[in-house]
Amino acid sequence: MTVANPQQTFPGRIMEVTLPAGEGGRSVSVGGQTALPLLPEGERPNAAAIGIEIRTGDEDLPPSLSHAFGGKGTDPAVLAGNLVEESGAQFLFLSLAGCHPDLGGHAVSRGAGIVRDVLQAVPCPAIVGGCGEEETDALLFPAVAEAAQRPVFLSYADEKNYRLVAGAALAYGHGVVAWSPIDINMAKQANLLLGDIGVPPHRVLIDPLTGGLGYGLEYTYSIVERIRLAGLSGDAALARPILCHLGDSWKAREALDSAEESWGDVIARGRRWEEATAWACLAAGADLLVCRHPDNVRTLRGMVGAPWR
Amino acid sequence: MTEPLFASCIRGARAVLALARDSLSDAIARRGPEGSLAYPGTAYEIPVVFGLTDLEVTTLRGAEPALSLAEGMIRDRPTAENALDAGAATLLCADILEALGHAEGRTYPAPCVGFVPDSVLRKLGIFMVDGSVPGVAVVVGRASDPAVAASMVRDFQEVGLLVFLAGDVVGQVEASGIKMGEDFRTFPLGPLPAVVHAVNFAVRAGLTFGGLGRGQAEPMLSYLATRVKAFVCALGPLDDLSLAIAAGAMKAGFPVLSDQAVPAIPGALLSCPPGEEMVRAGIEARGIKAKIVKVPVPIAFGPSYEGERIRKADTYAEFGGGRTVAYELVTSAPLSEVRDREIRVVGPDIPDLEKGGALPLGLVVTVAGARMQKDFESVLERRIHRIVNFGEGTMHVAQRDTTWIRISDEAVARGFRLADLGTMIHAKMLSDFENIVDRVAVTIHTREEDVRAGLAGARTVYAERDARARTLTDDAVGEFYSCTLCQSFAPNHVCIVTPERLGLCGAINWLDGKAGYEITPTGPNQPVPKGDERDPVKGAWEGVNAFVREHSRNTVPGFNLYSIMEAPMTSCGCFECILALVPEANGFMVVNREYAGAETPCGMGFSTLAGSVGGGVQTPGFMGVGKQYLLSRKFLAAEGGLPRIVWMTKEMKEQLGPALAKRAGEIGMPDLLDKIADETIAVTPERLREYLEKAGHPALSMKPLV
């Protein structure tokens, strides 16, 4: 009896995307692979990159994060500098949540100023996220794009604002994170539309919306897999690196609730909730992970090296 | 007739060239050949030279080859081609000439700004990409009436255009008190030759936003012509110089509108009276569409109000719904016949009514667009329902000549008038059908005699449309449309929508698919070429199968459009009703989504059945479909069609009754409907069989299904 070799070869290759660094920093390249993750076959020139998120504004931190951030500073530039250095994050995701009217209502100019300061303090590649409020973001993205003195990625462009974000990116030479709500067709459409406007393909990342463990992670797992399979099968518009932002795992009650004693220590639990979400995303095929907990950055960095490639 | 015009362009180009040469040798004499030549605040040297030639110009000496190149482009024979090339040469020379001035710090007196630096270009460029700056108006020369020039600039500002001014018009507009500057997106450049700063701005837009590099002349000209929606309004008499510059604009694909009697060159040079008409002509020549950010009506407007009902007690005014005669109609017309934003109310308006009053209504929407098709009229017309329901305090029911609109007390108290209805429709038609509709005009008639007269015409249109719909058959068209909207939850499901088989959700027919594709070419509705026919009875085509394979990502090899037993179409989960095999009766039962009972002859209610039908799988014998598909000539054609239906819920019988009876008549079985059982007759296969035998249902004598 002969057993057929199940090794699969795909006609496509995921586009390699480089997130440029500032002076003294190391740029990060992701993508470029010809196979699914966790398998021995195919080429995989780049390991998944692990980044850390810093958020501005008046949000209550989950207990686990407030524990981890203790004494590391409150000023975004200081905090970012400390966390990136300690955790070994390969890139920084700076969310300007503080510009949201409910989370501080920072003026757009203040948001842009923070971007300038943080980029000076931290030389690693950066992705800058808006505040999620449509009208504010419409002013914020152009201001951020102008303020950023080196190329960053703007996050994110969706069905409504992609023209504006693409324009801001083109004007100052930045990249774009294209967001879609767990929908492969919209992920594809977003990339086609961005290409139509003129954003070069090697400056686009896919954010397929990442649900936290227990809160939609399985949908994300499935969509990441399908986007990757489509890309490897030759669909150029989907053959792009995928970014999974683990922020939603910090919205789970299980990650936050300290009242439920039988669930164990909330400090450890919160961190583990994000970590578990992260492993699933890596297994599905994510190329970039955005963590909030510095220990998770370290743990994941240690693991993505060998076996996960 | 055009020859003297071309000759004039060429003379103008020579004059500018001579001027540039003189200035350059002058500068070299003073600063030496290595003296620097650059605009302040740009990464693109002399932008027009950078964008259109591969010459690198950073010094005075470096400008010489560029001027020689320009000289070579000026040829004496007065032809259109030579005039355009002379125009391009003029732009090269003018950009160098202006750069010479800027490099030596010769600026224009305020308010003129001269060269617009890259930093401003980047900021404004974002809004050009975004569409909130929908185009660029360049106004040059001297208006015979300064007030007219001022009103034109004001109109441009209102639409959100970027405005450049050059020549005496700058002073005229300034004197009128119109605000200018970056905040108002209006740039007074300087005297006439400074108009080249509008051109170098556009060229730099191509370099920054179009991904173009040095010297890519052809792609640059094409970018300028298609992406930068600019046009030139030339006011006052045209001398050689202004004509040479105009020729340059035309070379860049910017149409020039002149208020003088110039010979027309279609798409490039138009003669047009200044003022409102020129504004409109320029905007239309470039197909510029203003982005409507907020619909200007006194009530809140958006999808959140869609489900709102207005009760009789809260109604201030009512139209149609049996109380008065009313109709609504969308028709298309050539672009030249529709004036965008024209909203007319003919007859009494809401304030003329007492509370609870009613008026007749003739709601006539005329649309125009380069890609509009007559077939889309009905698609747009059905959208009126949603648009009116979007208003807080406006309610719409039914369609065509059964339409019924209510306006609430609260809306009227806030100042809602019939014209606002038109404003809502205008704004949403333009934004929802952006790619196919360029202009929308709305006329609202409320006089009984006008409405009656209009209604007669409308009924003719409805009848024509129905007749057209009858000729639209699967055999008559070359392509079907896909719908992959539901792949977000049924990842491998592909709907193929044909003229005779609408989407299983009942919401998308073939025309909707066609319009959907025109509106969003990258969206879920894609044309599916039928390709080679494999089986006309079962409904199998090579093209359909190839599409389904690709878009189900190789999980569904293909399907037969008119069969339920052999490779049926997959279902997402949105189906209006489910067809299910009843082997004992040699036919199918059909149960609709609204049917709450669990009792059907196959032993499963709708929700249980739905679990096994949905999710993009092929389950022979079971299929989700749209209700209207039952009336199609292609309904289960492979299995024998409508006579296979043995059981149907009472509700569906009532809903589809007359249409079903008609269809049964067409196939020579006028009493078929009476032979079909429902839940009041039988809910077990045994009882069903008994009834069918008694009634003499045709399915029993048809070919065995299993």
Side-chain angles (χ1 to χ4, degrees), chain B residues 248-283:
Chain B
M250 287 182 243
K251 177 81 183 178
F254 304 163
V256 177
L257 297 93
S258 163
D259 59 358
Q260 307 293 305
V262 288
I265 304 171
L269 183 61
L270 286 91
S271 182
C272 174
E276 204 185 322
E277 202 153 327
M278 192 180 267
V279 169
R280 194 178 279 275
I283 287 173

Side-chain angles (χ1 to χ4, degrees), chain B residues 370-439:
Chain B
R371 293 170 66 192
M372 179 66 196
Q373 299 180 20
K374 204 158 181 52
D375 273 349
F376 299 158
E377 290 174 354
S378 58
V379 176
L380 269 61
E381 191 176 291
R382 268 188 302 145
R383 190 61 66 99
I384 291 178
H385 174 70
R386 285 195 75 189
I387 297 173
V388 176
N389 280 326
F390 270 17
E392 183 184 18
T394 52
M395 180 182 88
H396 183 280
V397 178
Q399 69 278 311
R400 287 191 172 177
D401 52 1
T402 58
T403 184
W404 178 24
I405 292 177
R406 274 183 167 171
I407 316 285
S408 75
D409 291 327
E410 210 189 320
V412 175
R414 287 198 191 154
F416 190 88
R417 303 291 177 263
L418 281 173
D420 295 316
L421 207 58
T423 305
M424 282 154 56
I425 292 170
H426 167 264
K428 282 302 275 180
M429 288 273 178
L430 276 184
S431 62
D432 289 1
F433 300 100
E434 190 181 6
N435 275 1
I436 51 179
V437 174
D438 298 333
R439 287 173 211 175

Side-chain angles (χ1 to χ4, degrees), chain A:
Chain A
M1 186 181 139
T2 55
V3 178
N5 183 353
Q7 197 164 312
Q8 209 174 348
T9 50
F10 292 99
R13 179 188 286 277
I14 305 306
M15 171 153 301
E16 186 170 85
V17 171
T18 299
L19 286 72
E23 216 182 302
R26 287 179 66 149
S27 66
V28 169
S29 294
V30 290
Q33 65 270 50
T34 61
L36 294 170
L38 296 177
L39 298 172
E41 66 257 26
E43 293 169 39
R44 237 177 300 270
N46 300 301
I50 315 295
I52 194 160
E53 182 185 29
I54 303 291
R55 300 174 65 84
T56 66
D58 321 327
E59 281 173 297
D60 286 336
L61 282 176
S64 186
L65 290 179
S66 99
H67 183 256
F69 292 0
K72 312 250 163 86
T74 47
D75 176 72
V78 175
L79 183 64
N82 286 335
L83 288 179
V84 167
E85 195 179 322
E86 279 175 35
S87 67
Q90 291 161 281
F91 65 93
L92 174 74
F93 193 109
L94 173 61
S95 291
L96 298 173
C99 293
H100 194 288
D102 301 339
L103 299 173
H106 296 173
V108 163
S109 55
R110 181 165 166 200
I114 292 175
V115 171
R116 205 177 295 120
D117 295 346
V118 170
L119 289 182
Q120 252 163 26
V122 182
C124 70
I127 302 175
V128 181
C131 72
E133 204 271 324
E134 200 179 327
E135 279 174 32
T136 309
D137 279 351
L139 303 171
L140 194 55
F141 282 119
V144 164
E146 190 188 1
Q149 296 296 307
R150 59 178 161 101
V152 298
F153 275 67
L154 302 176
S155 172
Y156 47 76
D158 65 13
E159 202 185 5
K160 278 188 178 163
N161 72 358
Y162 71 93
R163 291 181 161 276
L164 179 89
V165 178
L170 285 173
Y172 301 95
H174 303 303
V176 176
V177 177
W179 181 90
S180 48
I182 312 205
D183 185 323
I184 188 169
N185 291 316
M186 283 177 70
K188 177 169 177 171
Q189 192 179 351
N191 289 351
L192 289 175
L193 293 170
L194 289 173
D196 201 39
I197 290 177
V199 182
H202 62 269
R203 280 184 8 214
V204 177
L205 298 170
I206 296 176
D207 177 347
L209 197 169
T210 304
L213 174 62
Y215 295 83
L217 175 60
E218 56 278 37
Y219 293 97
T220 300
Y221 192 98
S222 159
I223 208 76
V224 170
E225 249 189 334
R226 285 170 52 219
I227 291 174
R228 182 49 36 90
L229 279 169
L232 290 173
S233 304
D235 191 336
L238 288 172
R240 311 283 173 83
I242 297 170
L243 175 144
C244 283
H245 189 296
L246 306 171
D248 268 8
S249 61
W250 291 103
K251 293 178 187 158
R253 203 183 130 220
E254 291 83 342
L256 301 171
D257 198 340
S258 54
E260 195 72 57
E261 282 181 19
S262 62
W263 289 0
D265 176 24
V266 71
I267 306 264
R269 191 178 350 120
R271 183 187 74 70
R272 292 303 295 273
W273 210 261
E274 182 183 64
E275 191 193 341
T277 306
W279 291 125
C281 294
L282 278 181
D287 300 284
L288 303 105
L289 291 181
V290 180
C291 302
R292 291 189 73 187
H293 202 296
D295 290 352
N296 283 340
V297 174
R298 249 188 308 269
T299 311
L300 293 161
R301 281 274 281 139
M303 289 291 281
V304 290
W308 287 88
R309 295 178 67 172

Side-chain angles (χ1 to χ4, degrees), chain B residues 215-250:
Chain B
Q216 290 181 278
E218 284 309 314
M220 175 57 78
L221 289 173
S222 137
Y223 184 91
L224 295 177
T226 55
R227 296 278 181 128
V228 181
K229 294 193 182 305
F231 59 91
V232 181
C233 297
L235 304 176
L238 297 161
D239 55 14
D240 289 356
L241 176 66
S242 35
L243 279 171
I245 290 171
M250 287 182 243

Side-chain angles (χ1 to χ4, degrees), chain B residues 525-549:
Chain B
N525 302 124
Q526 295 291 318
V528 180
K530 282 156 74 175
D532 286 344
E533 185 174 82
R534 289 182 53 189
D535 191 324
V537 178
K538 289 179 189 159
W541 286 270
E542 294 286 357
V544 171
N545 287 347
F547 188 95
V548 170
R549 262 198 307 278

